[in-house]
């Protein structure tokens, strides 16, 4: 479904991505692990076109490197950024409505159902997004992207700074997304969540993928964890 | 006294809402670009000149419709092929670009229409007093200006707050990248907003041209006041722009209507000065004479006491 090869990207003069190679299959949950600065968020931004990519990004058999963000989104690729980017002056409901793409038919998700899944959001339907708590904004940001009925979703640090109860809700939503056949490329700091829900994992270091494998094999690979993950 | 109040209020509303037609576009465009468009009032001037030329051949009403469309199309082209490229060079380059554009338009206007005032007239259809109150007439054309700018305000407000396009615009103003990543064509939206903003400025020129005279300096005169309004209202705030437009319109109108001045004040205090005093001009100053300065005075006060503007959110 998604295949990166020889992906490079720069922030100003610093060479952040140095030839990333990875792939995600249809409906698969894949996690991208690594320390801060390893290039995980930049990989997601390069895929969606927020950072200029050099190299090959193939999504649903189409080369998307160099395309505009809105075109990539319309091909069925969603991005939930680390800072959530909730529209502060618009209500929760309006935020969700904006997730729907212009002229698209009804998809896998709708507002009523998402509200039923998250009564927390339903109760605040007419509240401006800017006054929600961090956890509520995270759920809203994910639900908003789902409203666009993506085939694959890139999620950056969804549980960062959340209370344990909301971490659980976010985890459940991730499983529900995958259950409906939507592929996920997840960047996650909390390794236990990534290990629990992912089918495969990549470990990044210095702008490259340095290890690839299943959750079980990572649990056994003490050297990899020590060199690339543990602080 | 009541007749002065009524007419001053009506005239203030006419001016205020006219100013709002310019200020609304300027403030929304500022929110998107992060830079003031110094050429905004030039599009207002183009509106008046286009309408004048069209009216010579096809009459006023054709000009009323066609001139704003032409100005809006020109504005959209400027954004698409000018500003969008300059934007990559940063804010300073954008600012200089709009400055240059303002001069370019002014020179072009002088080149094609000449430096003298053009005799752009209100249509005969509206050349009658709408009503007479206390023996004073209120012209139908001013009533027409009021009606047009009122409906523009309501239409704009409704579009921005109620329609889906309005939602996308509001979203794109705060988080353009996120909006694009949800599948919305943000560059196209920016071009559209620029086009509509300049078209509104053009429409203001079309309806104001016959009243405020159509000459090559008209952009400069009104432009500075519109900047004052946008800053006083709070950069990027549409409600602030409306409030400041009405405030400035009414303030100027009342100042002109109120026939008071320093002599009245001095008389109240029982002071008298001989007519041949060297500072005589100061003693005989009337409020109507300082009316044009009032917006700038208000600007200074707002900047000192409330730097983010009346309803602005950013410093």
């Amino acid at each position: 479904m998604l295949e990166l090869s020889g992906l490079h990207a720069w922030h100003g003069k610093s060479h952040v991505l140095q030839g990333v190679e990875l792939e995600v299959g249809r409906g698969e949950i894949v996690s991208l692990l690594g320390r801060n600065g390893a290039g995980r968020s930049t990989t997601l931004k390069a895929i969606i076109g927020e950072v200029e990519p050099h190299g090959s990004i193939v999504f649903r058999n189409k080369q998307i490197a160099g395309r505009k963000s809105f075109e990539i989104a319309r091909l069925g690729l969603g991005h939930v950024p680390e800072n959530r980017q909730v529209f502060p002056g618009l209500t929760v409901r309006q935020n969700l409505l904006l997730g729907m793409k212009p002229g698209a038919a009804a998809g896998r998700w709708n507002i009523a159902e998402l509200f039923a899944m998250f009564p927390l959001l339903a109760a605040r339907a007419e509240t401006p997004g800017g006054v929600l708590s961090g956890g509520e904004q995270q759920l809203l940001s994910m639900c908003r992207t789902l409203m666009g009925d993506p085939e694959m979703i890139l999620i950056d640090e969804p549980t960062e700074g959340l209370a344990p109860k909301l971490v659980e809700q976010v985890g459940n939503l991730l499983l529900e997304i995958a259950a409906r056949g939507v592929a996920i490329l997840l960047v996650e700091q909390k390794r236990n969540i990534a290990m629990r829900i992912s089918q495969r994992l990549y470990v990044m270091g210095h702008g490259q993928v340095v290890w690839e494998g299943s959750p079980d094999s990572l649990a056994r690979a003490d050297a990899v964890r020590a060199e690339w993950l543990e602080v | 006294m009541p007749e002065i109040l009524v007419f001053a209020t009506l005239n203030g509303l006419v001016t205020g809402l006219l100013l709002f037609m310019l200020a609304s576009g300027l403030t929304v465009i500022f929110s998107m670009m992060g830079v003031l468009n110094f050429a905004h009032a030039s599009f207002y001037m183009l509106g008046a000149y286009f309408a004048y030329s069209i009216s010579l051949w096809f009459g006023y009403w054709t000009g009323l419709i066609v001139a704003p469309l032409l100005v809006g199309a020109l504005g959209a082209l400027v954004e698409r092929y000018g500003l969008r490229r300059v934007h990559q060079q940063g804010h300073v380059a954008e600012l200089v670009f709009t400055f240059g554009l303002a001069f370019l338009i002014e020179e072009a206007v002088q080149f094609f229409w000449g430096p003298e005032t053009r005799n752009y007239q209100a249509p005969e259809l509206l050349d009658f007093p709408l009503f007479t109150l206390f023996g004073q007439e209120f012209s139908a054309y001013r009533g027409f200006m009021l009606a047009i700018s009122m409906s523009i305000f309501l239409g704009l407000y409704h579009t921005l707050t109620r329609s889906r396009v309005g939602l996308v615009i509001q979203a794109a103003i705060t988080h353009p990248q996120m909006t694009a990543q949800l599948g919305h064509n943000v560059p196209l939206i920016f071009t559209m907003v620029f086009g509509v903003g300049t078209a509104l400025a053009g429409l203001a020129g079309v309806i104001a041209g016959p009243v405020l005279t159509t000459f090559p300096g008209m952009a400069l005169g009104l432009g500075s006041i519109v900047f004052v309004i946008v800053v006083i209202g709070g950069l990027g705030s549409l409600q602030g722009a409306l409030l400041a437009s009405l405030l400035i319109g009414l303030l100027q109108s009342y100042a002109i209507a109120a026939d008071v001045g320093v002599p009245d004040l001095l008389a109240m205090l029982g002071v008298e000065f001989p007519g041949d005093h060297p500072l005589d001009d100061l003693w005989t100053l009337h409020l109507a004479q300082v009316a044009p300065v009032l917006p700038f005075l208000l600007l200074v006060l707002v900047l000192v006491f409330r730097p983010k503007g009346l309803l602005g959110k950013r410093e």
Side-chain angles (χ1 to χ4, degrees), chain A residues 48 50 70 73-74 79 81 85-87 90 94 97-98 100-101 144, chain B residues 161 164 167-168 170-171 174-175 177-185:
Chain A
I48 197 74
E50 187 174 331
F70 79 89
R74 286 181 188 177
H79 179 213
Q85 303 249 359
V86 163
F87 304 122
L90 304 181
Q94 288 172 328
L97 284 173
L98 278 170
M100 292 165 70
K101 294 180 183 122
R144 181 178 62 186
Chain B
T161 56
R164 188 173 161 82
L167 282 186
V168 178
Q170 289 190 56
T174 50
H175 300 310
Q177 267 166 346
M178 188 68 234
T179 310
Q181 289 171 14
L182 291 172
H184 301 287
N185 189 344

Side-chain angles (χ1 to χ4, degrees), chain A residues 165-181:
Chain A
K165 201 178 156 200
L166 275 156
V167 171
E168 199 188 309
Q169 291 207 35
V170 168
N172 291 341
L173 179 56
L174 288 172
L175 289 171
E176 178 63 30
I177 293 170
R180 298 200 189 185

Side-chain angles (χ1 to χ4, degrees), chain A residues 22-25 28-32 194 197-202 212-215:
Chain A
L22 66 81
E23 59 182 316
V24 180
E28 198 180 17
I29 305 189
V30 175
S31 284
L32 212 47
I197 66 171
S198 310
Q199 280 128 27
R200 283 188 305 120
L201 302 150
Y202 288 97
E212 178 194 342
S214 67

Side-chain angles (χ1 to χ4, degrees), chain A residues 28-63:
Chain A
E28 198 180 17
I29 305 189
V30 175
S31 284
L32 212 47
L33 304 177
R35 295 201 182 99
N36 282 332
R40 298 164 304 154
S41 292
T42 308
T43 303
L44 301 193
K45 286 179 183 167
I47 296 170
I48 197 74
E50 187 174 331
V51 168
E52 194 187 341
H54 300 264
S56 164
I57 307 170
V58 175
F59 177 64
R60 299 175 86 184
N61 301 320
K62 289 194 182 76
Q63 182 58 246

Side-chain angles (χ1 to χ4, degrees), chain A residues 197-211:
Chain A
I197 66 171
S198 310
Q199 280 128 27
R200 283 188 305 120
L201 302 150
Y202 288 97
V203 175
M204 282 187 78
H206 305 314
Q208 287 174 330
V209 170
V210 292
W211 186 88

